[in-house]
Amino acid sequence: MKLFLKLSLSVIFSTLSLCAHADDFSDGVASYVRQDFPAAAAAFKKAAEQGNSDAQFNLGLMYLKGEGVTQDYVEAKALFEKAALQNNVRAQVNLARMYAKAKGVAPNYAKAVYWFNKAAELGYADAQYSLGVLYVNGIGVSRDYNKALDLFSKAAKQKSASAQYQLGLMYLKGKGVAIDKVTALKCLILAGDYEDAVTYRSYAESQMSAKEIEEAKAQAMQAQ
């Protein structure tokens, strides 16, 4: 059973900022919602130039995807870096992903680990999950199932389906923890339809008694 390295570059826009330059940022969000991407990019640029980290992050995403601007990974990285230095966790995660996936930069897992760790320390579930995946696979760090388990557990407490999935596989396979099919099934249930959770749930159930399955389902219900 493979533990999946899923480092997607998804568009996650921030909530409205309450900083001094919120007007331009709000205009950018409104323009983006109505899919006027050039106007959104222009508004975010104004706010970004004034140091608004959410605007820097959003504009970086637009450069990453080529929305309203010419796709430019170098510019995206520069904007993410500015926001990341202001402890914008979404920017830190996307910067880490650029290093991990070699988007506009040479692959550098040490820097990916650094930025994932910064965001993970700030309690961002997506970063905790992504860093856990690197520890599971020994990418950029020495393989450490205990650290991965800790990171996945922290993310799972924040309702991260991806973290629940990885926890389920770890308990199912006994990676860094004793095999515990009840806990494994509970986690896989909480993972919903993430990746191959349905397949692994069926496999786990085939190895369990009816009593164990009911216990796992009861624990999952309590944890929801």
Side-chain angles (χ1 to χ4, degrees):
M1 296 180 188
K2 183 179 179 181
L3 297 179
F4 291 87
L5 175 61
K6 185 175 179 65
L7 300 173
S8 61
L9 286 163
S10 57
V11 177
I12 307 172
F13 273 80
S14 308
T15 55
L16 293 183
S17 171
L18 298 177
C19 68
H21 305 285
D23 288 344
D24 288 327
F25 181 79
S26 299
D27 288 345
V29 171
S31 295
Y32 191 90
V33 169
R34 63 174 181 268
Q35 297 190 347
D36 186 347
F37 298 136
F44 285 141
K45 183 177 181 181
K46 289 180 182 178
E49 288 173 345
Q50 299 300 319
N52 183 317
S53 70
D54 287 334
Q56 291 164 347
F57 166 70
N58 283 355
L59 185 58
L61 283 175
M62 297 188 78
Y63 272 108
L64 191 69
K65 294 178 65 67
E67 292 181 327
V69 293
T70 301
Q71 189 175 52
D72 188 334
Y73 292 142
V74 173
E75 184 63 22
K77 173 184 172 292
L79 286 160
F80 288 150
E81 196 161 47
K82 288 178 180 179
L85 290 170
Q86 297 187 64
N87 286 329
N88 184 303
V89 292
R90 292 178 177 86
Q92 289 171 341
V93 166
N94 278 274
L95 182 58
R97 286 175 177 156
M98 292 193 78
Y99 280 116
K101 296 174 74 70
K103 291 288 187 179
V105 296
N108 189 323
Y109 288 112
K111 287 187 177 181
V113 168
Y114 173 82
W115 286 112
F116 279 138
N117 188 62
K118 293 283 284 187
E121 288 179 343
L122 292 171
Y124 194 50
D126 197 12
Q128 292 166 341
Y129 159 74
S130 297
L131 185 59
V133 170
L134 295 182
Y135 273 111
V136 162
N137 290 282
I139 298 175
V141 291
S142 297
R143 178 174 282 139
D144 190 327
Y145 291 131
N146 289 328
K147 286 186 178 179
L149 188 71
D150 179 60
L151 287 159
F152 291 147
S153 296
K154 288 177 179 177
K157 288 179 181 178
Q158 299 184 61
K159 309 299 182 182
S160 168
S162 54
Q164 293 284 9
Y165 173 72
Q166 294 288 4
L167 280 175
L169 295 187
M170 293 186 80
Y171 278 105
L172 197 59
K173 290 284 289 183
K175 297 291 187 179
V177 66
I179 291 176
D180 184 336
K181 293 174 185 175
V182 171
T183 300
L185 181 56
K186 178 198 75 172
C187 293
L188 291 168
I189 290 171
L190 292 171
D193 59 359
Y194 182 83
E195 290 286 355
D196 292 330
V198 175
T199 299
Y200 282 108
R201 283 202 297 273
S202 296
Y203 172 78
E205 289 180 358
S206 72
Q207 306 297 308
M208 299 168 66
S209 67
K211 182 178 180 180
E212 288 173 325
I213 293 171
E214 288 306 310
E215 176 61 24
K217 289 180 177 179
Q219 290 184 17
M221 183 70 70
Q222 292 177 349
Q224 287 176 338

